[in-house]
Amino acid sequence: MPFQYNLKRVSRHKRVLTPSDANNASCYEFETRSLKDAILSRPDVVIKEAHSSHSSQTVSSVSYPSGLDDDNVFRPQITLKYTSENHHEVKLRMTSKSSQWSVEVGGTSFVWDLSYEPFTLTLRAADSGTTLAVFTLRGRGEEGPDGDIGNLRITDEGDNEQYKKEIVSTLAGVFVYWERAGKLVPHSTGGVADGDPGFYRYAPGGIQG
């Protein structure tokens, strides 16, 4: 069976991916940077794995460099650092299609592809187009059974389970990027509160002035 996770917005800076399967006790948290973190030059996003039997452990961190990339070209970038033994670093780059981010998962090249109606991020193999994961954000007014605002589905094929941390980490980096780019705009009017499933609306063209 595929791995299923529900996304909940706990606070302004914190989201949690909780497993739909009760037998899968691990959940993933990702926190965006506060003003204090910005002053201290801490990462833009921190991803943690939490388990019922032990305290949460940091899996990775995300930052958004603003300078030239390795090709000496100015374009959006995402730097992802893992806290594994080798502390390896992964860089995500926007492709020629401005709706895609290229990334390596388990040593294989993939792209996170953005689409709308509903807002969806799909992780596909760059060569074959095989889907590894799909994240869908619920539309305004739609409410999940546990108050979730989105759903992540990771296909159960081959060794995909070992890639969960990389999939979640790259998803967090891409999701927060699009949020900051104005593709997801938090509602703050009409009685919609922080944490409400209608907190987001979709803005394919970004924030309109």
Side-chain angles (χ1 to χ4, degrees):
M1 292 180 61
F3 297 104
Q4 299 270 5
Y5 290 89
N6 295 319
L7 180 69
K8 297 181 180 179
R9 185 182 176 95
V10 179
S11 67
R12 180 179 179 84
H13 296 289
K14 185 176 182 179
R15 291 91 165 166
V16 178
L17 280 168
T18 58
S20 299
D21 184 357
N23 295 321
N24 185 354
S26 295
C27 65
Y28 295 92
E29 307 170 351
F30 57 98
E31 293 190 55
T32 54
R33 185 168 62 175
S34 64
L35 177 59
K36 178 181 178 181
D37 292 329
I39 294 174
L40 296 175
S41 299
R42 290 172 176 167
D44 291 276
V45 188
V46 174
I47 297 92
K48 297 180 180 180
E49 181 181 19
H51 194 280
S52 57
S53 62
H54 56 74
S55 58
S56 61
Q57 302 290 325
T58 300
V59 172
S60 58
S61 61
V62 173
S63 60
Y64 301 98
S66 58
L68 299 176
D69 64 13
D70 293 341
D71 298 324
N72 205 35
V73 175
F74 183 81
R75 59 184 168 189
Q77 304 171 66
I78 300 174
T79 298
L80 180 62
K81 294 183 179 180
Y82 292 98
T83 56
S84 54
E85 291 182 1
N86 58 0
H87 294 276
H88 71 288
E89 180 177 294
V90 174
K91 291 189 177 181
L92 287 73
R93 294 179 175 84
M94 186 173 283
T95 68
S96 57
K97 292 184 178 181
S98 59
S99 61
Q100 291 183 341
W101 282 92
S102 63
V103 62
E104 282 196 2
V105 175
T108 302
S109 296
F110 288 87
V111 292
W112 273 111
D113 194 7
L114 170 66
S115 59
Y116 288 96
E117 297 182 6
F119 178 97
T120 303
L121 290 168
T122 304
L123 184 63
R124 296 188 176 95
D127 54 356
S128 66
T130 301
T131 297
L132 182 60
V134 178
F135 171 77
T136 304
L137 192 67
R138 293 183 181 276
R140 185 181 183 186
E142 295 181 13
E143 183 176 357
D146 297 312
D148 56 285
I149 61 172
N151 173 268
L152 171 64
R153 179 180 182 272
I154 302 176
T155 59
D156 186 14
E157 298 177 3
D159 296 324
N160 287 350
E161 183 177 0
Q162 67 178 323
Y163 303 150
K164 282 196 294 184
K165 293 179 183 179
E166 294 183 39
I167 293 172
V168 170
S169 295
T170 56
L171 169 64
V174 172
F175 179 82
V176 174
Y177 173 84
W178 287 128
E179 181 181 47
R180 293 184 176 185
K183 301 300 184 181
L184 303 172
V185 184
H187 277 284
S188 59
T189 59
V192 180
D194 190 11
D196 189 286
F199 189 75
Y200 286 113
R201 66 180 169 85
Y202 309 133
I207 298 175
Q208 304 297 318

